[in-house]
Every structure is written in structure tokens, then in C-alpha cells.
Amino acid sequence: MPSHELGRGAGREPWDSGRAAGIIAEHARREGATLPILHALQETFGYVDGEAVPLIADALNLSRAEVHGCITFYHDFRSEPAGRHTVKLCRAEACQAVGADALHEDVLRRYDVAWHGTTRDGQVTVEPVFCLGLCACAPAALVDGEPVGRLDLDALADALTERAA
Amino acid sequence: MSITFYLPKDAASLALGADRVARALTRAAAARGLDVTLVRTGSRGMLWLEPLLEVATPEGRIAYGPVRPGDVESLLDAGLAEGGAHALRIGRPEEHPYLARQQRLTFGRCGIIDPASVEEYRAHGGYRGLEAALAAGPAGTVEAVKASGLRGRGGAGFPTGIKWNTVMLAESPQKYVVCNADEGDSGTFADRMLMEGDPLTLIEGMTIAAVAVGATRGYIYCRSEYPHAFAALETAIRAAERAGFLGANVLGSGKAFHLEVRLGAGAYICGEETSLLESLEGKRGIVRAKPPIPALKGLFGQPTLVNNVLSFAAIPWILEHGGEAYAAYGMGRSLGTLPIQLAGNVARGGLIETAFGLTLREVIEDFGGGTASGRPLRAVQVGGPLGAYFPDTLLDTPLDYEAFAAKKGLLGHGGIVVFDDTVDLARQARFAFEFCATESCGKCTPCRIGAVRGMETIDKVIAGESPRENLALVTDLCEVMTDGSLCAMGGLTPVPVMSALTHFPEDFSGRGAKLPLAAE
């Protein structure tokens, strides 16, 4: 199985239902295969296209509603592509204790974006996340899956520049 | 002669630039023609000193930190390879007061060994617990766990030995061992540190459990917010398989144990064990009503042992040294050691493993050195987003399940988040409801609706709208959520809310009325 590297700017392939069917078949025999399949699809295509729903339902003998319900229940799965880079900002208490709320307002203003939104140039998607386990070096973020501690606006800009290089 | 350096690749160290330090060190060493081995370890848990670079010398490992890439040249000039003097020199890490006062049973190898190496793991005592368990047999193993007094380190504190006994006695052709690695509580990172720094301890603990209860398959459900832990687990599982410690014939015992790590998908509720099982089965992570308990009817309806990362990780030490040796640590009914995680607005945040019984004040002042901002401490939240906010007057509470319960708090997974005097407890109470509204699985009404209504009502209080009446409503709502929720998500959300209200009533006086929004 491919190793899941969440949000590493993976998923550059355009949606292809034939390719998706292949990925689904690869995992379908595993116990409780829904999440591994959804992760694999999102890693390949960057999101889970609506066309995947009947394909997964057929392969796993589930109803389409069950598959759709699963996709929408979990915060990770998206039904459309994200921006080129994904920034997950931790909103939990340890980060709040060192000024995360104010920082997040500044980030959203500087990038002119709302939570879950993508900048107009399609470069950056900003998402809230509740705890990255980086509580002792807060405020914290994951930028394309790479952790950044003691975050401020400059550190975020640097991390995005580094990821773009 | 080759020089051996040790540098963490723990996510927190990476977040503070460990990879950049590694590159700078490798480059500078090459330029100086030095023969260098760089071992990437986990973190020792002194997180304000990360990245912490260590070098092997005849006197033992000497540490330097926090090291930035620009420090590498001056370190080498100062005789880094021989442990030379430098402004960043810490000395021997185990002599550092932060570590010297600890009792590291579970985290004994974390930060010291290469987490991917079975050889190093064994050289540091690894797999002696499994050997002891195989010699003791299932009943003897469960007895040792009972004798240790170990209670689930995930937060609920249920006696681990009793759970193991139930699964062992359950009759079924297929049983499972499941590790709850969905550490979602803010202020907790011990699971992550262990999975990244010493994953084989978790794997060994699960293998011992599988042999004891008669399970042949196991899953680690790792949250997706921890991509590095997930990768470290995969690597360690492959290594354990190659070395014959996992698979069809564990250590030649004739027992099979197949272990797989699964990735969650960003749902806090999947840290609740029945939601986690639903998620592993490929469904939405919706809470199950209990009974039946997972020990009898768990994953795919089969008897399933579900324990937290730290519970499993405590097992190898217990089997190697005996249950009584473990029970010699701690106080009251809280036996053994607690990996404490100190974070938030604190000068020296990190991981502290000690026997239960230290007071909160000792942890925050002696280990943490007070607030990071230098301002007075005002509130401490212990036990994650569902834990209570304690004021200064409660800081002498010892870390003990019962002592915390007596103060209407919960020890949870041992996370301590420090706030200085700029914190607004009305906002924190609002956040508790907001978090519950976002993360509720939606199955039961008190949690699903109560959280939303609670948030709206606190907003009214903050805006200065009939604060007294609205606070009465919040209190009433909290009672309904406590009594009527199906699981701890809705049942414990009132804990942070009511503790904020009880201990910090001045923040709920409707001061927000002065804000422009309400002054219109």
C-alpha cells in the first residue's frame, strides 16, 4: 500500500474513474476498507470525487448513502481539490494559551481567506485543526504535512516558500 | 574515527527545525572531512531545548540545545565531537534536573535509541517483557497486569488487568487487540512522542496483550494529525516482522499476531473506543451504546481488547520487572507512573514521566518554570478539552485520579495546559461548547443540540444579555448533558464550562457589553 502522506501537496493527478476503480480494488479485500480507500483516493487525486461513491459502494457491498455518509462525517475528506498548499492551523487550547486566536485572525486577513477556504490564486487552503501534538511549541501548524512550531506570520510565509521551492 | 551524533526527528523537533540542523551538520562535517554517523532518535521531552543535539563521548552522551542551523559551525569549532564547552552545552541529558527527577519506566528508551532499529531496541532491554509473557503464559501474564494496578492511561482509568481478563475468558475463534492512538486532547502529546520515538515498545505491549488474550489480529488506530507517528509505526511494524517478533510465529512460540496501523480521518470522537471501532469497520465514527462492552463484542462483533498507547506501552516494563515492582510507584489507587505533558503558556514545556502523586504546582513551577510570558498564572486546564479549568487555589491537588475527581476535575491523559492572566474564561467556556458542537458524532440529542445551544447562550452572556438568567440556563443545560449523553463527549463538555463558571465567575459578568458589537 502507498504510505499516506497527508496534505503533502500530493494528489496532482486529474480525476480518472478507471484509475480510481483500480485503487479501490487494491484495498477492497481489507477488513473495514472504507477509510483506507478514501485516504488512497484523496492522496492520488487530492480529493474524493462524487463518482467514487458508487464505485466504493459496489466494491464493498455498501449503500451509496453509507459511503457518502462516511465521506462527509470525517473532516479530512474533501469533495473538491484544495489549493496547491494546505495549511492546518491548530485551534486547540494549548495554542490558544499562547495567542493562537489573534494569530489566526491575522493569517486569515493576510491571505484574504476564510476557514476551509482557498486563496484566490489557488495557492493556499487554510483549515482549522484541533491539536497536532505540538502543544509545547505552540502555536503550531502543519504546512503540507510538515510541522511548524512557534508559528507567526513570518514563519508561515517561510514555510510556504520552502514548500514551494 | 567516526563521531556519532544523535538528533531527534520527533514532530515537535522537526517543527523547531531539526531537519535544517541535520543538513547543516552533515554539510559542515563533510567540509571538515569528519567521519560522522547521525542517528535520528525520538525526543527526550525537554521541548524548550529542541532541537537537542547529542554527541557520543567516552563520558557518555553530551547534549547541546536548542541548536539552530547557524550554531553548527561554532559548535564544531568548540570541539563538539569531544563534548567541548559551548554556550548551548547542556551536559549529560540524564543529569539535567528536568530528567533527573523523573521516573521513566515507559519512556526509558525514548530519545535514546533509533526508533526503527530492532537491534537497538533489544540492546536496551526490548522484548524481555514478551519473553517473560511467553514463559508466564496467558493467565500468568494477566495476573502480572492485575498486580501492577495499571489503569487505562487513555483517561477513563479503568483497571487494565480486569479488561484483559474479560477478553481472555471470552470464547471466540477470532479476537482482536486494538490500540487507541487517536490522541486528540489538546495539551497531550505523549502518545505521539512514544510512537515516533519508541514505537517498538507499543508493538511489544500489543504483542504481549495478543498472546495473553488469544488474539491473532491487531490494529493501531492512529489519528491523521500525526502523519509522522503513522510513518514511524509502519516502519517499526515492518522491522518487527522481519525480525520474527510479529507475524505467523511470534518469536518461535507458535502464536500468530498480525498487526496493522490504520489512519483516522480527523474526527475527535474516534478517540471514544466504540466510535473508533465503528471507524475501523469502515463506518462513520458514531458512538455505540454499551453494553455490550467491546471486550465481549467489539471489532466486527468479536471480543476486542481496546487500550490506549500508553497503557500498552507500560506492559513490557511490567512483564519484565513484575507487576508488584510497577505497583510500588504511585499513590492511593493510582499506581505506576503517569506521563505528564506540560504545555501552553509555560516556560519549559515537555514530557515528564513520574509516579502519580506530584502536585500540579510542583509540575508547573519546578519543571515548567512558570509561564512563558512571565505574567501571573491564572488558570490551568488538565485532561484535555473536556477537563476542568483550575485556579491557583487548586494547584496543590496531587496528580491522582481520585484527588482530581474530588475537585470536579479529571486527570484524563495527563495533559496540563497553562494560561496566564490574559485568559478570558468565558471565551474558554464558549470554546468548550464550540468544540463539542464541531466534534459531536450527533447520535444523542444532549450532545448534538446541547453544545450548539450552550454556545449560543454563552454568547448572550458575553454580550451582556441577561447574564444571570442565561447562566442559569447554561447550568441547567450542563446538567442535562452530563446526565443524558451517551458518551464522554457530551457527558464531560460541562466540566470545562462549569469549572470556568465556578472558579472564575468574574469573567461571566457580561463585560462584553462594553464591546462595540453589543453597544450598537
Side-chain angles (χ1 to χ4, degrees):
Chain A
M1 75 180 262
S3 91
H4 296 292
E5 297 195 340
L6 287 178
R8 274 170 200 264
R12 292 287 154 251
E13 287 183 40
W15 172 257
D16 176 326
S17 53
R19 173 106 162 86
I23 291 168
I24 294 166
E26 217 177 288
H27 295 277
R29 295 176 68 89
R30 299 169 70 178
E31 291 185 328
T34 324
L35 262 62
I37 287 174
L38 293 173
H39 275 304
L41 291 174
Q42 184 149 307
E43 183 173 271
T44 306
F45 304 109
Y47 72 108
V48 180
D49 194 279
E51 280 184 30
V53 174
L55 297 177
I56 297 169
D58 285 351
L60 301 184
N61 196 23
L62 297 171
S63 72
R64 291 180 186 200
E66 283 170 311
V67 176
H68 175 78
C70 203
I71 294 170
T72 53
F73 180 85
Y74 296 98
H75 299 308
D76 279 0
F77 300 124
R78 21 173 142 264
S79 52
E80 46 194 73
R84 192 170 157 72
H85 301 288
T86 304
V87 175
K88 295 189 175 195
L89 298 171
C90 178
R91 290 194 57 211
E93 289 89 339
C95 287
Q96 292 171 17
V98 284
D101 288 348
L103 170 67
H104 296 162
E105 279 174 29
D106 291 346
V107 170
L108 297 179
R109 201 175 308 123
R110 174 185 277 199
Y111 292 89
D112 189 19
V113 68
W115 288 117
H116 301 287
T118 302
T119 54
R120 255 176 254 174
D121 60 6
Q123 284 296 306
V124 182
T125 298
V126 179
E127 297 191 326
V129 60
F130 293 105
C131 199
L132 297 167
L134 304 171
C135 322
C137 51
L142 276 187
V143 178
D144 292 340
E146 286 305 321
V148 184
R150 299 196 190 119
L151 189 77
D152 57 23
L153 283 174
D154 289 344
L156 178 58
D158 287 351
L160 284 167
T161 311
E162 200 176 300
R163 301 301 302 171
Chain B
M1 200 187 83
S2 177
I3 315 160
T4 305
F5 291 110
Y6 302 86
L7 183 70
K9 63 170 178 181
D10 169 276
S13 310
L14 296 177
L16 297 171
D19 273 350
R20 286 194 294 278
V21 173
R23 285 195 292 273
L25 180 65
T26 310
R27 206 163 38 228
R32 291 169 188 237
L34 298 173
D35 176 14
V36 159
T37 306
L38 179 59
V39 180
R40 299 303 295 270
T41 63
S43 171
R44 301 239 194 195
M46 298 187 286
L47 290 164
W48 77 101
L49 290 176
E50 294 290 3
L52 186 73
L53 177 65
E54 296 178 29
V55 60
T57 76
E59 292 82 49
R61 279 155 71 161
I62 301 296
Y64 298 82
V67 176
R68 283 169 237 294
D71 297 323
V72 166
E73 291 290 347
S74 76
L75 281 165
L76 287 168
D77 289 343
L80 172 70
E82 295 84 39
H86 189 279
L88 299 178
R89 190 180 190 274
I90 306 296
R92 297 184 59 208
E94 45 282 353
E95 285 167 10
H96 190 285
Y98 201 85
L99 271 181
R101 286 189 62 189
Q102 299 189 29
Q103 287 143 327
R104 290 216 165 182
L105 309 188
T106 301
F107 280 82
R109 283 175 288 256
C110 191
I112 296 175
I113 64 167
D114 173 355
S117 165
V118 176
E119 294 71 29
E120 276 201 33
Y121 182 68
R122 295 213 78 185
H124 286 79
Y127 280 117
R128 281 186 208 152
L130 177 60
E131 284 163 0
L134 288 170
T141 300
V142 172
E143 276 315 306
V145 177
K146 278 190 194 166
S148 74
L150 179 67
R151 292 167 71 177
R153 295 292 188 255
F158 187 81
T160 305
I162 294 185
K163 200 189 264 188
W164 284 38
N165 199 50
T166 308
V167 183
M168 179 178 73
L169 296 178
E171 285 188 25
S172 170
Q174 180 66 63
K175 299 182 195 176
Y176 292 95
V177 172
V178 170
C179 175
N180 183 344
D182 196 79
E183 177 180 65
D185 285 350
S186 176
T188 63
F189 45 85
D191 291 3
R192 181 189 59 67
M193 272 186 59
L194 189 98
M195 291 189 283
E196 292 174 3
D198 189 14
L200 286 163
T201 293
L202 168 60
I203 293 168
E204 182 183 354
M206 291 185 75
T207 309
I208 292 169
V211 172
V213 303
T216 53
R217 295 190 72 83
Y219 290 99
I220 302 170
Y221 186 89
C222 177
R223 65 199 294 260
S224 63
E225 292 84 351
Y226 286 179
H228 297 78
F230 181 81
L233 287 167
E234 289 227 302
T235 304
I237 288 172
R238 296 292 95 78
E241 283 170 348
R242 278 196 304 275
F245 291 99
L246 280 176
N249 186 7
V250 173
L251 253 181
S253 65
K255 314 258 188 198
F257 184 51
H258 301 277
L259 182 60
E260 189 182 327
V261 50
R262 282 284 171 91
L263 201 58
Y268 175 80
I269 192 62
C270 291
E272 195 283 333
E273 64 175 352
T274 60
S275 297
L276 185 152
L277 294 173
E278 290 285 305
S279 185
L280 266 180
E281 289 181 6
K283 303 172 196 157
R284 292 180 290 158
I286 292 187
V287 173
R288 294 178 186 169
K290 287 192 277 192
I293 54 171
L296 297 175
K297 209 165 182 295
L299 189 60
F300 302 109
Q302 304 303 314
T304 303
L305 179 69
V306 187
N307 277 151
N308 179 260
V309 173
L310 299 179
S311 312
F312 281 124
I315 295 295
W317 194 96
I318 290 169
L319 266 293
E320 183 188 349
H321 301 273
E324 290 77 11
Y326 191 78
Y329 294 87
M331 69 177 277
R333 287 171 50 218
S334 302
L335 299 179
T337 58
L338 174 71
I340 301 159
Q341 300 122 91
L342 184 56
N345 198 330
V346 66
R348 296 191 295 269
L351 180 96
I352 302 148
E353 183 183 355
T354 72
F356 284 88
L358 279 186
T359 67
L360 266 177
R361 195 182 301 282
E362 287 175 297
V363 173
I364 295 166
E365 291 177 3
D366 299 354
F367 285 93
T371 62
S373 61
R375 300 178 64 99
L377 176 150
R378 178 143 186 263
V380 178
Q381 188 182 30
V382 184
L386 310 178
Y389 286 97
F390 277 6
D392 186 79
T393 49
L394 288 181
L395 291 192
D396 295 310
T397 310
L399 297 168
D400 164 277
Y401 290 110
E402 280 71 35
F404 262 69
K407 307 284 184 199
K408 291 192 162 59
L410 51 122
L411 197 46
H413 184 25
I416 298 174
V417 177
V418 178
F419 292 83
D420 71 11
D421 63 349
T422 58
V423 66
D424 176 346
L425 272 300
R427 280 194 67 168
Q428 298 308 121
R430 183 197 193 276
F431 179 78
F433 278 130
E434 182 191 357
F435 181 71
C436 183
T438 308
E439 297 296 334
S440 171
C441 83
K443 180 160 178 166
C444 72
T445 317
C447 178
R448 184 183 65 243
I449 308 289
V452 176
R453 303 298 283 175
M455 193 166 67
E456 291 167 358
T457 314
I458 293 267
D459 276 343
K460 289 181 188 167
V461 173
I462 292 174
E465 203 179 305
S466 316
R468 204 149 26 112
E469 289 77 0
N470 279 312
L471 283 179
L473 193 57
V474 167
T475 307
D476 188 44
L477 184 63
C478 281
E479 264 177 52
V480 173
M481 288 179 74
T482 304
D483 297 341
S485 298
L486 198 55
C487 83
M489 176 95 223
L492 295 181
T493 292
V495 174
V497 175
M498 290 310 296
S499 62
L501 251 169
T502 306
H503 302 303
F504 306 91
E506 62 276 21
D507 286 12
F508 294 84
S509 59
R511 291 181 309 175
K514 289 179 230 140
L515 294 175
L517 183 71
E520 288 170 342

